Amino acid sequence: MQRKELGIAVIGAGRIGTLRARLAAKHPSVGFLALSDLDPARARALAEQTGADFHSGDNLEVISRPEVTAVIVSTPEGEHAAPVCKALELGKPVLVEKPLALTLADAQIILAKLKETGGHLRVGYSRRFKECFLRAKEQMIHQRLGRVVGGLARVYNSRAQAFSILKRDPHATPVLDVLTYYVDLMCWFMEGNAPVEIVARGQHGIFREAGYSAHDVTWAIVTFADGAVVNFGVSYALPAKYPTLGQSDRVELLGTEGTMLIDDDHMDHVLYSDRGIPHAYVPDHHVNMAFLGSNTAGDWAVGDFWGPLGNETRSWLDHLVTGNPTVHTTPEQARINLETTIAIERAVATGKPVRLPLET
Amino acid sequence: MQRKELGIAVIGAGRIGTLRARLAAKHPSVGFLALSDLDPARARALAEQTGADFHSGDNLEVISRPEVTAVIVSTPEGEHAAPVCKALELGKPVLVEKPLALTLADAQIILAKLKETGGHLRVGYSRRFKECFLRAKEQMIHQRLGRVVGGLARVYNSRAQAFSILKRDPHATPVLDVLTYYVDLMCWFMEGNAPVEIVARGQHGIFREAGYSAHDVTWAIVTFADGAVVNFGVSYALPAKYPTLGQSDRVELLGTEGTMLIDDDHMDHVLYSDRGIPHAYVPDHHVNMAFLGSNTAGDWAVGDFWGPLGNETRSWLDHLVTGNPTVHTTPEQARINLETTIAIERAVATGKPVRLPLET
Amino acid sequence: MQRKELGIAVIGAGRIGTLRARLAAKHPSVGFLALSDLDPARARALAEQTGADFHSGDNLEVISRPEVTAVIVSTPEGEHAAPVCKALELGKPVLVEKPLALTLADAQIILAKLKETGGHLRVGYSRRFKECFLRAKEQMIHQRLGRVVGGLARVYNSRAQAFSILKRDPHATPVLDVLTYYVDLMCWFMEGNAPVEIVARGQHGIFREAGYSAHDVTWAIVTFADGAVVNFGVSYALPAKYPTLGQSDRVELLGTEGTMLIDDDHMDHVLYSDRGIPHAYVPDHHVNMAFLGSNTAGDWAVGDFWGPLGNETRSWLDHLVTGNPTVHTTPEQARINLETTIAIERAVATGKPVRLPLET
Amino acid sequence: MQRKELGIAVIGAGRIGTLRARLAAKHPSVGFLALSDLDPARARALAEQTGADFHSGDNLEVISRPEVTAVIVSTPEGEHAAPVCKALELGKPVLVEKPLALTLADAQIILAKLKETGGHLRVGYSRRFKECFLRAKEQMIHQRLGRVVGGLARVYNSRAQAFSILKRDPHATPVLDVLTYYVDLMCWFMEGNAPVEIVARGQHGIFREAGYSAHDVTWAIVTFADGAVVNFGVSYALPAKYPTLGQSDRVELLGTEGTMLIDDDHMDHVLYSDRGIPHAYVPDHHVNMAFLGSNTAGDWAVGDFWGPLGNETRSWLDHLVTGNPTVHTTPEQARINLETTIAIERAVATGKPVRLPLET
């Protein structure tokens, strides 16, 4: 059993970058932690919070530090390419947040660099690491459903969280930002069976009234190569104080020999408090009724972090030390996720079916 | 408060006709019960079971009996027109099973007769009378959701029940036979807002293997006049011993000011029995695990019948006596349901969007 | 099929009496409706609302009306005896609200009168008539669980509803007023197997702070004659705006050959509305999140009433017309329910086991 | 950030010991792994499976190895004392499975040794490390419920698993073996508020018929120091093929300012497979319907282990490296758990209330 210490760089000190940094700081094999953010003050604050060894306002500088042996890229989605490519050039393994990029062109840049360097790159589709989805994948591996003929994956969230996202990025869309997780899950469950056609429709409501282009609700029917038809849906427009504190979803799979229904709406852990319950990611937002466990990334509780982003981060860091295989989304899988979600948006915009792969 | 006694004719002594007859026999205002079926022996047997006053192999004879003041038509779907029209001609109110007919042409025949006679006709979309959906409609009346932007209605059932249906009618399809209930519900919830466009996809599996044309799963996205997008889904291909004893469904509505989620999958009442639990409608079929309350029409329990078909029947019979208004599906609503489900099938078959109203 | 018209007297125009009167007014066989209340104005108002034929401030006068053929007694619980006995003396069938009385002595008075007159008396434990419990009883009749070894029945409700009850009757207790329903259910499910011993504990909290003697929570373990041990629990102290609009309960039965779990907490039908949802029985009380279907008696929806009290009332009125048997709680069953709940309270108060039957 | 490598000894290669060993082998900081079991062949087999560095039939030998820096004791419950005491004498931190011991006398031996050596000892009440319970504890820390007045914790499991346990240890009881987890949880949630009195009842059924003394169902009402009353229940007698693959439980807490309901029955992830689903711990036992996520310790999925025992083990190993605080059950807490469960059994056996602390 070979063991080695890790030097981790976290590039981007926003919400997810902060989580990655805090999780890396707690990992028993991390001996060196470096943080960067285009806002040096934010990097410094996070460094203080995590006891990091180095911080800077220069992403590439941090990636290049000799003590850094692996890199987590948590910049805004449109800025993944540069730091990812730099790390690959330096031969350092990379975990980048989802989606891989915002355009297929940027995704291609990253994939080309990966091919050129023969490096290690994984994409942070952390929902794979929710316990129910890990268990679901195991059942799929054992073919418990026979041949999958159809399925459903729909995800809801409150507009409080949506406006929080839109404030940071007015052009964010629930399809590219959130539904992509469920495309990733379904493609993973039906590994080897890729999406080939999409029809989709959307409806405007409160987001348009607030000046954004995002749809209130989008439904898409995705047909896979063997004919399986999966329905995807997303709405991030639920009332602000609806009790979910993150993604409230259901995933259902129908097969010739079995059925699997996953209720991830989190009504299995309800808390009502007259004192109010704060929302982890929406400032000054309290609810009296909460579905605990709905916090998308996971929860800080009793001094540790529990949930998909924690499982994902730890699993990746463990892998760097032990070499044990993991199930993080590969770059090619991430490219399919991106292409599929772009196709869903195109299908909504045009009202026409869209075939995959997309004509460039 | 005027009260009068009813003379009821039930035309068709199949599964649903049997229920209607038994329910009519129990109703305190029914003073005369007449039954008919093309198979006179079946009519006789049901007459004995219910203590009916008259039975025959001639539908029109029974409808014409002078003691009969109202008619329930429970023939196979393709045979509704003749008995319905006869009853309307004789000025007798009619409750006919869903769907109104199997083709728009037959539906039109019935609607024309209705207009000509100025009669009373309602269509047995009994799912409206499930308590949760009655409560849901009340909330919609009070506009608790604001403007509906989208929704979901999906229904599953076991292949045991599907094969039971297909044996009786090999050309039955889950869309026309079952999904129609959910089209009815959604149109009722969004009264005044009609479907205008449909895209849909389906996948084959076990039914095709068994020699039927029905799809294992169908998804449809229906756009309504104000832009609301509702996703509908149906699969009647779940494993034979999956614990549902009837329709297992979910109905979700998303509005600008509210959200309503209805879990009608019946996992709220589970029974596991080593002794086995019989299926009400699939002969010689026992399960060890059952989701009670999933029996689509309702359940006989402690000597009475409880559930949507009971509520619907009683409500209609009460209406005939008291004149109190009810919420049974009107013929025009039923026509829209039929047209919409035909459009869904056409959308699946062609792979193209289908606009409503259908070009004749 | 003999049919006859009913003349119904409803004695007591409070919350439940109002429901009974409205339901009787809608029943197709009711030809005469008379109402009484010690407050004549309240009787008059209800008479106007229901179109009743007669109203009075004198209960016994109304019971004695010649048009009245059956009586529903909905007075406060401590006042059941006089009107019930009067009706029995006059040979008129009676449905009286639960509990039969507040003391065993008063219960005995009623039972003695019943024996003397050979009359018909049923007690309004309407929870039997909730669909899930009717279905559950049917399964028990078929012995699907084998021998019952144990079970659980716990019921929660918000303090908003509790304070509403306590305002009307400061000495009301959740055990005598509410848990009695679940004692009734369990005794019905295990018919022939009576409670023989009870241990119980309670805890004070917000009710005591508000000046009432009621416990916030009570747990009781009831041992039945064959050794089965059932746990009962009640708390009516949940936060005022907790989403339940009535009883939120679970009933579980464990047998040698089967298990039955009934989730009656109503999270299967959730409504979140920014517009607020009124509480049927707590004035000026709105919640944004509601578990629909939790309204204890049932709901008015689309012009009719749906739920246990509706099923129970209609079933009784139907029985009066048709003679069909029903499953309403018998007076002897009600006496056992009363004795058992009194014993639970005594077990809490003394901290000692209490054996049944109670020493007088 | 100081990091050091761990040398772990796992004492006992049974079901749980096997899990501990496999988890330790995967941990990035474990550089040396030694295993022992009174059956040397079992130790050898596990060593091969995990790539351990050393194995033996002599527990104390393994504990004494110089490379071993920390010890996990997973022997049968009645044999904890010797290995735990040896490790403490050698100054090595210990994680021992629950319960601490089977008798208070043995627990006292361990506690005395702990005091004498000033060592580190934690007890493996792994249910604390189920995500829902970690989140629940966090809410309790923030006092979201105000003062707790009452609660409920009940756990069910199938007799298949029970017989599997009884085969290994015919004197095992559901109270000492399983309900102890929920006593631990409740005492942890209400930290500082100890149990002071217990009443309890049990019923025999299938276990007695099979020759064991265990009850089919046990209910206990535990009163805490401040008067809070919590109901505990356990039944491990559910039908063999009931869909749970481990503990199926509910935990509910009622407070003056809030309510928390945790549904851990796992009906949120259902799988029906015609192919059958194996039970992780009952050999040759397949079910067609399973509630995934009900596996008590957790699940192996996609090459890693996910669930409470995994969280607990990793958290402890991380702590040994990083010094970060954790929430593992302390020896004194474990002693209270043991005393309370012994008291529950005594209360059932005697039919009398039992006060805590127990008279020795």
Side-chain angles (χ1 to χ4, degrees):
Chain A
M1 287 181 268
Q2 279 185 316
R3 306 291 189 212
K4 55 193 211 297
E5 250 191 21
L6 303 174
I8 300 297
V10 178
I11 311 304
R15 186 167 74 83
I16 300 296
T18 293
L19 273 172
R20 300 287 189 190
R22 294 182 66 183
L23 291 165
K26 294 166 39 56
H27 194 281
S29 303
V30 172
F32 183 90
L33 178 62
L35 310 173
S36 69
D37 193 277
L38 295 190
D39 176 351
R42 209 156 75 151
R44 173 195 306 276
L46 183 55
E48 280 163 14
Q49 181 183 15
T50 57
D53 301 281
F54 183 80
H55 60 88
S56 161
D58 181 335
N59 292 344
L60 302 187
E61 175 191 11
V62 164
I63 292 170
S64 306
R65 291 284 307 202
E67 305 94 330
V68 168
T69 61
V71 180
I72 299 176
V73 174
S74 305
T75 63
E77 299 90 344
E79 302 167 30
H80 285 169
V84 169
C85 291
K86 180 71 177 176
L88 290 174
E89 284 165 9
L90 295 176
K92 304 187 184 187
V94 187
L95 175 68
V96 61
E97 305 300 346
K98 63 37 107 170
L100 179 57
L102 283 178
T103 67
L104 289 168
D106 278 358
Q108 200 45 46
I109 288 170
I110 294 174
L111 290 170
K113 179 63 64 177
L114 179 66
K115 184 169 184 184
E116 172 196 319
T117 59
H120 165 106
L121 172 64
R122 291 293 181 269
V123 187
Y125 277 92
S126 44
R127 212 130 187 85
R128 290 192 179 190
F129 286 86
K130 197 149 199 242
E131 283 188 23
C132 57
F133 298 128
L134 293 161
R135 289 191 296 259
K137 175 63 179 175
E138 181 71 13
Q139 300 299 326
M140 300 307 294
I141 289 171
H142 289 281
Q143 302 191 304
R144 296 264 152 77
L145 304 188
R147 175 167 72 94
V148 172
V149 290
L152 163 72
R154 72 97 175 105
V155 54
Y156 297 154
N157 204 337
S158 84
R159 60 190 68 166
Q161 186 141 354
F163 283 124
S164 189
I165 295 172
L166 288 167
K167 196 169 301 183
R168 176 174 66 85
D169 179 3
H171 300 293
T173 73
V175 172
L176 252 58
D177 197 53
V178 179
L179 198 56
T180 189
Y181 279 118
Y182 298 88
V183 169
D184 178 72
L185 280 178
M186 281 296 186
C187 290
W188 184 42
F189 293 151
M190 301 200 289
E191 212 154 354
N193 185 14
V196 296
E197 195 242 28
I198 295 166
V199 289
R201 297 288 185 268
Q203 167 64 321
H204 288 290
I206 61 142
F207 293 131
R208 173 174 273 178
E209 285 168 25
Y212 299 101
S213 61
H215 286 92
D216 272 30
V217 56
T218 305
W219 291 108
I221 303 172
V222 177
T223 304
F224 284 72
D226 71 351
V229 285
V230 177
N231 178 69
F232 292 89
V234 58
S235 175
Y236 257 49
L238 271 59
K241 297 227 166 179
Y242 183 80
T244 190
L245 304 176
Q247 290 178 30
S248 178
D249 56 285
R250 291 188 62 87
V251 175
E252 307 182 344
L253 283 146
L254 310 172
T256 51
E257 299 185 51
T259 302
M260 181 156 57
L261 307 184
I262 303 171
D263 178 334
D264 201 37
D265 277 330
H266 303 287
M267 291 189 207
D268 57 328
H269 190 174
V270 301
L271 170 64
Y272 187 99
S273 175
D274 284 334
R275 298 185 171 199
I277 303 141
H279 193 295
Y281 299 118
V282 183
D284 301 318
H285 180 86
H286 290 74
V287 290
N288 291 104
M289 180 80 184
F291 298 147
L292 299 183
S294 59
N295 199 318
T296 305
D299 298 273
W300 286 102
V302 293
D304 205 338
F305 190 83
W306 313 95
L309 201 110
N311 291 343
E312 176 188 52
T313 309
R314 178 181 56 77
S315 178
W316 191 66
L317 296 175
D318 281 4
H319 164 77
L320 296 179
V321 176
T322 66
N324 287 339
T326 72
V327 291
H328 296 80
T329 302
T330 66
E332 181 52 32
Q333 291 171 339
R335 194 199 63 75
I336 290 174
N337 295 342
L338 176 62
E339 184 178 44
T340 304
T341 49
I342 287 172
I344 290 173
E345 300 224 293
R346 192 174 297 178
V348 173
T350 62
K352 294 186 188 321
V354 174
R355 294 205 60 84
L356 295 163
L358 290 177
E359 306 165 28
T360 47
Chain B
M1 286 180 269
Q2 278 185 318
R3 306 293 190 208
K4 56 192 208 296
E5 251 192 21
L6 304 174
I8 300 299
V10 177
I11 311 303
R15 186 167 74 84
I16 301 295
T18 293
L19 272 172
R20 299 286 189 188
R22 293 182 66 183
L23 291 165
K26 296 167 36 57
H27 192 283
S29 303
V30 171
F32 183 88
L33 179 63
L35 311 173
S36 68
D37 194 276
L38 296 190
D39 176 352
R42 209 156 74 151
R44 174 196 305 279
L46 183 56
E48 280 161 14
Q49 181 183 15
T50 57
D53 302 279
F54 184 80
H55 60 87
S56 163
D58 181 334
N59 291 344
L60 302 187
E61 174 191 11
V62 163
I63 292 169
S64 307
R65 290 286 305 206
E67 306 93 331
V68 167
T69 62
V71 180
I72 299 176
V73 173
S74 306
T75 63
E77 297 91 343
E79 301 166 30
H80 287 168
V84 169
C85 290
K86 181 69 179 177
L88 290 174
E89 284 165 7
L90 294 175
K92 305 186 183 186
V94 187
L95 174 67
V96 61
E97 304 302 345
K98 62 41 106 169
L100 178 57
L102 283 179
T103 67
L104 289 169
D106 278 356
Q108 201 43 47
I109 288 171
I110 295 174
L111 290 170
K113 179 62 65 175
L114 178 66
K115 184 169 182 183
E116 169 196 322
T117 58
H120 165 106
L121 172 64
R122 292 294 180 269
V123 187
Y125 277 92
S126 44
R127 213 131 189 84
R128 289 191 180 191
F129 286 86
K130 197 149 198 237
E131 284 188 22
C132 57
F133 298 128
L134 292 161
R135 288 190 295 259
K137 175 61 179 177
E138 182 72 12
Q139 299 301 325
M140 299 307 295
I141 288 171
H142 288 283
Q143 302 189 306
R144 296 265 152 77
L145 304 188
R147 176 167 71 93
V148 173
V149 291
L152 163 72
R154 72 100 174 105
V155 54
Y156 297 153
N157 205 338
S158 85
R159 58 189 70 164
Q161 186 140 353
F163 282 125
S164 187
I165 294 172
L166 289 167
K167 197 168 300 182
R168 174 173 68 84
D169 180 2
H171 301 292
T173 74
V175 171
L176 252 57
D177 197 53
V178 178
L179 198 56
T180 188
Y181 279 118
Y182 297 88
V183 169
D184 178 72
L185 281 178
M186 281 297 186
C187 289
W188 184 42
F189 292 151
M190 302 200 288
E191 213 154 352
N193 186 14
V196 295
E197 197 242 25
I198 295 167
V199 289
R201 295 289 182 268
Q203 168 65 319
H204 287 289
I206 59 142
F207 295 132
R208 173 175 273 177
E209 286 168 25
Y212 299 101
S213 61
H215 286 92
D216 273 29
V217 55
T218 306
W219 292 108
I221 304 172
V222 177
T223 303
F224 284 71
D226 72 349
V229 286
V230 177
N231 179 70
F232 291 90
V234 59
S235 173
Y236 257 49
L238 271 58
K241 298 229 168 179
Y242 183 80
T244 191
L245 304 175
Q247 292 178 27
S248 178
D249 56 287
R250 290 189 62 88
V251 175
E252 308 182 344
L253 283 145
L254 310 173
T256 51
E257 299 183 53
T259 302
M260 181 156 57
L261 307 185
I262 303 171
D263 178 333
D264 200 38
D265 277 329
H266 303 287
M267 291 188 206
D268 57 328
H269 190 174
V270 301
L271 170 64
Y272 188 99
S273 176
D274 284 336
R275 299 184 170 199
I277 303 142
H279 193 297
Y281 299 117
V282 182
D284 301 318
H285 181 86
H286 290 73
V287 290
N288 291 104
M289 180 80 184
F291 299 146
L292 299 182
S294 58
N295 199 316
T296 306
D299 298 274
W300 286 101
V302 293
D304 205 339
F305 190 84
W306 312 95
L309 201 110
N311 292 342
E312 177 188 52
T313 310
R314 177 180 57 77
S315 179
W316 190 67
L317 295 175
D318 280 5
H319 164 76
L320 295 178
V321 175
T322 66
N324 287 339
T326 72
V327 292
H328 296 79
T329 302
T330 66
E332 180 53 30
Q333 291 170 341
R335 194 199 63 77
I336 290 174
N337 296 341
L338 176 61
E339 184 178 44
T340 304
T341 48
I342 287 173
I344 290 173
E345 300 224 294
R346 192 174 297 179
V348 173
T350 63
K352 294 185 188 322
V354 175
R355 294 204 62 83
L356 293 164
L358 289 177
E359 305 164 30
T360 47
Chain C
M1 287 177 268
Q2 279 186 316
R3 305 293 190 207
K4 57 194 207 297
E5 253 195 19
L6 304 174
I8 299 300
V10 178
I11 311 302
R15 186 166 75 82
I16 301 296
T18 293
L19 272 174
R20 300 287 189 188
R22 294 182 66 183
L23 292 165
K26 295 168 35 61
H27 192 283
S29 303
V30 171
F32 183 90
L33 180 63
L35 310 173
S36 68
D37 194 274
L38 295 191
D39 176 352
R42 210 157 73 151
R44 172 197 305 280
L46 183 56
E48 279 161 15
Q49 181 183 15
T50 57
D53 301 278
F54 184 80
H55 60 87
S56 163
D58 181 334
N59 291 344
L60 303 187
E61 173 190 14
V62 164
I63 293 169
S64 306
R65 291 287 304 205
E67 305 94 332
V68 168
T69 62
V71 180
I72 299 177
V73 174
S74 306
T75 63
E77 298 92 344
E79 301 166 31
H80 287 169
V84 169
C85 291
K86 180 71 178 176
L88 291 174
E89 282 163 12
L90 294 175
K92 304 187 184 187
V94 188
L95 175 66
V96 61
E97 305 300 345
K98 61 41 102 171
L100 178 56
L102 284 179
T103 67
L104 289 169
D106 278 357
Q108 199 45 46
I109 289 171
I110 295 174
L111 291 171
K113 179 63 64 177
L114 178 67
K115 182 169 184 181
E116 171 197 321
T117 59
H120 165 106
L121 173 65
R122 292 293 180 269
V123 187
Y125 278 91
S126 45
R127 212 128 189 86
R128 289 192 180 190
F129 286 85
K130 196 148 200 239
E131 283 187 23
C132 57
F133 299 126
L134 293 161
R135 289 191 293 261
K137 174 62 179 175
E138 182 71 12
Q139 299 301 325
M140 299 308 293
I141 288 172
H142 289 281
Q143 301 190 304
R144 297 264 151 77
L145 305 189
R147 176 167 71 93
V148 173
V149 290
L152 163 71
R154 71 98 173 107
V155 54
Y156 297 155
N157 204 337
S158 84
R159 60 189 67 167
Q161 187 142 352
F163 283 124
S164 187
I165 295 171
L166 288 167
K167 197 168 299 180
R168 176 175 65 86
D169 179 3
H171 300 291
T173 73
V175 171
L176 252 59
D177 197 52
V178 178
L179 197 56
T180 189
Y181 280 118
Y182 297 87
V183 169
D184 178 71
L185 281 177
M186 281 296 186
C187 289
W188 184 42
F189 292 151
M190 301 200 289
E191 213 155 351
N193 185 13
V196 296
E197 196 240 29
I198 295 167
V199 289
R201 296 286 183 269
Q203 168 63 321
H204 287 289
I206 61 143
F207 294 131
R208 171 175 274 176
E209 286 167 22
Y212 299 100
S213 60
H215 286 93
D216 273 29
V217 56
T218 306
W219 292 107
I221 303 172
V222 177
T223 304
F224 283 72
D226 72 350
V229 284
V230 177
N231 179 69
F232 291 90
V234 59
S235 175
Y236 257 49
L238 271 59
K241 298 226 166 182
Y242 182 82
T244 190
L245 304 175
Q247 291 178 28
S248 178
D249 56 286
R250 289 189 63 87
V251 174
E252 307 182 345
L253 282 146
L254 310 173
T256 51
E257 298 182 54
T259 302
M260 180 155 58
L261 306 184
I262 303 171
D263 177 334
D264 201 37
D265 277 329
H266 303 286
M267 292 190 204
D268 57 328
H269 190 173
V270 301
L271 170 64
Y272 187 98
S273 175
D274 283 336
R275 298 185 171 201
I277 304 141
H279 193 296
Y281 299 118
V282 182
D284 302 318
H285 181 87
H286 289 75
V287 290
N288 291 103
M289 180 81 184
F291 299 147
L292 299 182
S294 59
N295 200 315
T296 306
D299 299 274
W300 286 102
V302 294
D304 207 337
F305 190 84
W306 312 95
L309 201 110
N311 292 342
E312 176 189 51
T313 310
R314 178 181 56 76
S315 178
W316 190 67
L317 295 175
D318 281 4
H319 163 77
L320 296 178
V321 175
T322 66
N324 287 338
T326 72
V327 292
H328 296 80
T329 303
T330 66
E332 181 53 32
Q333 291 171 340
R335 194 199 64 75
I336 291 174
N337 296 341
L338 176 62
E339 185 178 43
T340 304
T341 48
I342 287 173
I344 290 173
E345 300 225 294
R346 191 174 298 180
V348 173
T350 62
K352 295 185 189 322
V354 174
R355 294 204 61 83
L356 294 164
L358 289 178
E359 303 164 31
T360 49
Chain D
M1 287 180 267
Q2 280 186 315
R3 305 290 190 210
K4 57 193 205 301
E5 253 193 17
L6 304 174
I8 300 298
V10 178
I11 311 303
R15 185 166 75 84
I16 301 295
T18 294
L19 271 173
R20 299 287 189 189
R22 294 182 67 183
L23 292 165
K26 295 168 37 58
H27 193 281
S29 304
V30 172
F32 183 90
L33 179 63
L35 310 173
S36 67
D37 194 274
L38 295 191
D39 177 351
R42 209 156 75 151
R44 173 196 305 277
L46 183 56
E48 280 162 14
Q49 181 183 14
T50 56
D53 301 279
F54 184 80
H55 61 86
S56 160
D58 181 335
N59 291 344
L60 302 187
E61 175 189 13
V62 164
I63 292 169
S64 306
R65 293 284 306 203
E67 305 94 331
V68 168
T69 62
V71 180
I72 300 177
V73 174
S74 305
T75 63
E77 298 90 344
E79 301 167 31
H80 286 170
V84 169
C85 290
K86 181 70 178 177
L88 291 174
E89 283 164 10
L90 295 175
K92 305 186 184 188
V94 187
L95 174 67
V96 61
E97 304 300 347
K98 62 40 101 172
L100 178 58
L102 285 178
T103 67
L104 289 169
D106 278 357
Q108 200 45 45
I109 288 171
I110 295 174
L111 290 170
K113 180 62 65 177
L114 178 66
K115 182 169 182 181
E116 171 197 321
T117 58
H120 165 107
L121 173 64
R122 292 293 181 268
V123 187
Y125 277 91
S126 45
R127 211 130 189 86
R128 288 191 179 192
F129 286 86
K130 195 148 202 242
E131 283 187 23
C132 57
F133 298 127
L134 293 161
R135 289 191 295 259
K137 175 62 179 175
E138 182 71 12
Q139 299 299 326
M140 299 308 294
I141 288 172
H142 289 282
Q143 303 192 303
R144 296 263 151 78
L145 305 188
R147 176 167 70 91
V148 173
V149 290
L152 163 70
R154 71 98 173 107
V155 54
Y156 297 154
N157 204 337
S158 84
R159 60 190 66 167
Q161 186 140 354
F163 282 125
S164 189
I165 295 171
L166 289 167
K167 196 168 299 181
R168 174 174 68 86
D169 179 2
H171 300 291
T173 74
V175 172
L176 253 58
D177 195 54
V178 178
L179 198 56
T180 190
Y181 280 118
Y182 298 88
V183 169
D184 178 71
L185 281 178
M186 281 298 186
C187 290
W188 184 43
F189 292 151
M190 301 202 287
E191 213 155 351
N193 186 12
V196 296
E197 194 241 27
I198 296 166
V199 290
R201 295 290 183 269
Q203 169 63 322
H204 288 290
I206 61 142
F207 294 132
R208 173 175 273 178
E209 285 168 23
Y212 298 102
S213 62
H215 286 93
D216 274 29
V217 56
T218 305
W219 293 107
I221 303 173
V222 177
T223 304
F224 285 72
D226 72 350
V229 285
V230 177
N231 179 69
F232 291 89
V234 59
S235 174
Y236 257 49
L238 271 58
K241 298 228 166 178
Y242 183 80
T244 191
L245 304 175
Q247 291 178 27
S248 178
D249 55 286
R250 290 188 63 86
V251 175
E252 306 181 346
L253 283 146
L254 310 172
T256 51
E257 298 183 53
T259 302
M260 180 155 59
L261 306 185
I262 303 171
D263 178 333
D264 201 37
D265 276 329
H266 302 287
M267 291 190 206
D268 57 328
H269 190 174
V270 301
L271 170 64
Y272 187 98
S273 176
D274 283 335
R275 297 184 171 202
I277 303 141
H279 193 295
Y281 299 118
V282 182
D284 301 318
H285 180 87
H286 289 75
V287 289
N288 291 104
M289 180 82 183
F291 300 146
L292 299 182
S294 59
N295 200 315
T296 305
D299 299 274
W300 286 102
V302 292
D304 206 337
F305 190 84
W306 313 95
L309 201 109
N311 292 341
E312 177 188 52
T313 309
R314 176 180 59 77
S315 178
W316 191 65
L317 296 175
D318 280 4
H319 163 77
L320 296 178
V321 175
T322 66
N324 288 338
T326 72
V327 291
H328 296 79
T329 303
T330 66
E332 181 53 33
Q333 291 171 339
R335 194 200 63 76
I336 290 175
N337 296 340
L338 176 62
E339 186 179 43
T340 304
T341 49
I342 287 172
I344 289 174
E345 300 225 294
R346 192 175 297 180
V348 172
T350 62
K352 294 185 189 322
V354 174
R355 294 203 63 82
L356 295 163
L358 290 178
E359 305 164 32
T360 48

